[in-house]
Amino acid sequence: MPKLQGFEFWSRTLGGARHVVAPMVDQSELAWRLLSRRHGAQLCYTPMLHAQVFVRDANYRKENLYCEVCPEDRPLIVQFCANDPEVFVQAALLAQDYCDAIDLNLGCPQMIAKRGHYGAFLQEEWDLLQRMILLAHEKLSVPVTCKIRVFPEIDKTVKYAQMLEKAGCQLLTVHGRTKEQKGPLSGTASWEHIKAVRKAVAIPVFANGNIQSLRDVERCIQDTGVQGVMSAEGNLHNPALFEGRSPAVWELAEEYLDIVRRYRCPLSYVRAHLFKLWHHTLQVHQQLREELAKVKTLEGVAAVNQELKLRCQEDISRQEEGEKPSGGLPFFHWICQPYLRPGPREGSKENGGARSKRALEEEEGGTDVLSKNKQKKQLRNPHKTFDPSLKPKYAKCDQCGNPKMCVQSVPGLLQEASFQRGCRLPRSRIAF
């Protein structure tokens, strides 16, 4: 049977999917995909997989794709990050029998993607991307798709999308943010960019960004003309988003835990999902946040989940007639609802626009306000301090920028040498 392309692929293989669960590292695993499908998702992506690791490591393939054959988990698109055409295609050939399409990640904006040279940090390398997509289109038995972020300029974004289409991309997901828009600097996704891309290409387009409810989904399709809408953060906080429901958190948390008992996954995934689902309640019952962070078994997670349910039911019993949700929430904390990531203070715009994450943390109160990552580290080690004044000071290497150490006591060495572990200079450049 010939490989379906473009709109025929979207309508026949993907069933004309409009409600799509995004690829999310350590979060769009099989159990979560099945939960989302039960509540309105029509298409799911795997978490982003590293093509090179997928090729060389049989255990990685087994854990991330080959672990369970689940007929309910279709249609499914497997996403890879890669920066080499041959490696990308080798990985895709190993995965194509387990999915309906292969997606190339061109949208990850995180520092790990910058260091690994993949994701959104390939968006200027059009020649390389053309070769990757063209080779995959020629060699695979399933279609190749792409997920991208936009450039600040609409015209450049349109030309980028057209280049990928010409190379053989059969479906394009457009996240309406630039690679600089992430974390506290995420801001609002540009549906204008997405609309322009949709008008300029002849393949199906999915929109990603600003999706917190079913009403947002419908409005996005109407405003941009896309074929479908992808949700990531919104789905994590309310897996019933595509049903247009906002159920009690424990309803979906218990259902998810039941699925995990059948389709096992790392406990870190489960814990992360419950932190998202219970986000607003954990602001109220903060002692249970620590309990959830500490548990080491699935049964322990389920016990904390049950305790959260009981606390919420007590809150409901004490609720007074006419009482409204606190903290500016649309619903009471025990109801699944969006989490709106706080952005930089309005005043920062007057001081030069975008601010770094560290600058924003300092603006919010310096070292008195710890990031979530630092809070986790402090839970593991209560004596750990993040006071910069207590950290040892090192001079920087003039050539590589890494810290220097004194080696006066070692005969024959320079008085100062860069730490070999961190120095970017080859060993031959470090004098002995």
Side-chain angles (χ1 to χ4, degrees):
M1 180 180 175
K3 180 166 61 176
L4 299 181
Q5 300 184 19
F7 276 92
E8 193 176 14
F9 158 65
W10 172 68
S11 62
R12 291 176 58 182
T13 304
L14 303 185
R18 287 180 173 268
H19 301 161
V20 185
V21 173
M24 297 175 284
V25 175
D26 296 346
Q27 295 283 262
S28 59
E29 85 286 356
L30 175 59
W32 189 261
R33 296 196 301 264
L34 292 176
L35 176 71
S36 299
R37 290 180 191 277
R38 291 182 183 182
H39 295 282
Q42 298 162 335
L43 168 65
C44 294
Y45 284 62
T46 66
M48 180 193 76
L49 305 176
H50 289 258
Q52 194 170 50
V53 181
F54 197 84
V55 169
R56 71 167 185 254
D57 192 334
N59 286 332
Y60 184 77
R61 294 196 293 272
K62 181 179 179 181
E63 291 167 3
N64 289 281
L65 191 61
Y66 298 175
C67 55
E68 296 279 357
V69 177
C70 185
E72 308 139 77
D73 190 34
R74 302 296 281 268
L76 177 69
I77 295 180
V78 172
Q79 187 188 70
F80 287 108
C81 67
N83 56 23
D84 179 283
E86 294 292 341
V87 173
F88 176 49
V89 170
Q90 287 177 39
L93 287 169
L94 290 168
Q96 65 179 1
D97 292 340
Y98 297 83
C99 62
D100 298 288
I102 299 292
D103 188 76
L104 177 61
N105 182 323
L106 300 176
C108 181
Q110 304 303 328
M111 185 54 66
I112 191 171
K114 185 176 183 179
R115 289 196 296 266
H117 193 54
Y118 60 80
F121 297 94
L122 295 178
Q123 67 178 177
E124 296 284 1
E125 301 190 34
W126 291 17
D127 179 64
L128 171 63
L129 296 180
Q130 281 180 313
R131 288 187 285 117
M132 292 177 75
I133 299 300
L134 182 61
L135 187 64
H137 181 55
E138 290 175 350
K139 299 291 186 181
L140 300 181
S141 62
V142 297
V144 60
T145 68
C146 297
K147 184 174 187 289
I148 66 171
R149 283 195 170 222
V150 300
F151 290 94
E153 308 85 4
I154 290 181
D155 288 349
K156 188 173 182 180
T157 304
V158 166
K159 290 176 182 176
Y160 182 43
Q162 290 173 326
M163 177 274 293
L164 295 171
E165 177 189 20
K166 186 176 180 181
C169 175
Q170 300 302 315
L171 184 149
L172 192 62
T173 299
V174 183
H175 187 158
R177 293 183 175 92
T178 66
K179 70 177 186 293
E180 291 75 28
Q181 287 180 275
K182 58 184 179 180
L185 304 176
S186 290
T188 304
S190 169
W191 287 0
E192 286 302 312
H193 282 70
I194 299 172
K195 182 178 180 180
V197 169
R198 175 66 206 97
K199 287 183 175 179
V201 298
I203 56 176
V205 174
F206 291 158
N208 183 210
N210 305 344
I211 303 302
Q212 300 288 352
S213 66
L214 184 60
R215 185 166 48 189
D216 291 337
V217 173
E218 293 164 348
R219 187 166 59 87
C220 183
I221 291 173
Q222 183 176 356
D223 290 357
T224 64
V226 293
Q227 278 61 54
V229 171
M230 177 182 284
S231 174
E233 199 80 12
N235 165 262
L236 290 175
H237 287 275
N238 180 11
L241 180 153
F242 290 128
E243 285 184 319
R245 290 197 310 125
S246 293
V249 173
W250 62 79
E251 177 187 325
L252 293 178
E254 289 173 348
E255 186 177 1
Y256 171 64
L257 291 172
D258 284 343
I259 298 173
V260 170
R261 290 184 180 97
R262 180 177 177 188
Y263 298 101
R264 295 280 175 162
C265 65
L267 191 68
S268 60
Y269 297 8
V270 181
R271 185 187 288 112
H273 279 303
L274 263 65
F275 269 120
K276 293 280 189 182
L277 286 170
W278 286 110
H279 173 84
H280 298 292
T281 296
L282 290 171
Q283 310 307 306
V284 178
H285 300 290
Q286 294 189 14
Q287 68 278 19
L288 290 175
R289 171 184 290 277
E290 293 187 20
E291 292 299 319
L292 185 56
K294 290 176 181 177
V295 290
K296 303 294 185 184
T297 64
L298 184 60
E299 292 72 24
V301 171
V304 176
N305 185 71
Q306 180 65 18
E307 182 61 28
L308 281 161
K309 176 182 177 179
L310 293 174
R311 298 285 183 93
C312 288
Q313 290 174 336
E314 290 172 6
D315 292 344
I316 293 170
S317 68
R318 290 194 296 265
Q319 191 176 350
E320 296 180 5
E321 188 176 350
E323 185 178 340
K324 293 183 179 180
S326 60
L329 297 178
F331 306 108
F332 289 100
H333 64 80
W334 54 81
I335 299 296
C336 288
Q337 58 193 294
Y339 165 64
L340 300 178
R341 189 191 300 272
R345 290 182 178 180
E346 289 298 316
S348 67
K349 295 178 181 177
E350 301 169 8
N351 298 326
R355 307 284 299 281
S356 71
K357 183 176 179 182
R358 178 168 292 182
L360 290 168
E361 287 176 355
E362 290 170 355
E363 184 181 74
E364 293 295 331
T367 54
D368 293 334
V369 181
L370 297 180
S371 67
K372 288 183 179 179
N373 192 37
K374 288 178 180 176
Q375 289 175 27
K376 289 178 185 176
K377 289 180 180 178
Q378 206 165 54
L379 274 176
R380 293 193 293 268
N381 181 6
H383 302 294
K384 189 171 183 65
T385 177
F386 298 98
D387 185 348
S389 66
L390 300 178
K391 290 185 177 180
K393 299 290 192 298
Y394 297 101
K396 288 186 178 180
C397 171
D398 295 332
Q399 293 177 292
C400 75
N402 283 298
K404 294 177 179 179
M405 67 175 180
C406 180
V407 290
Q408 291 176 335
S409 59
V410 185
L413 293 186
L414 286 181
Q415 293 302 303
E416 289 181 336
S418 298
F419 282 121
Q420 292 183 25
R421 182 175 63 180
C423 186
R424 294 183 179 87
L425 295 175
R427 288 177 63 88
S428 60
R429 295 276 301 279
I430 300 177
F432 284 86

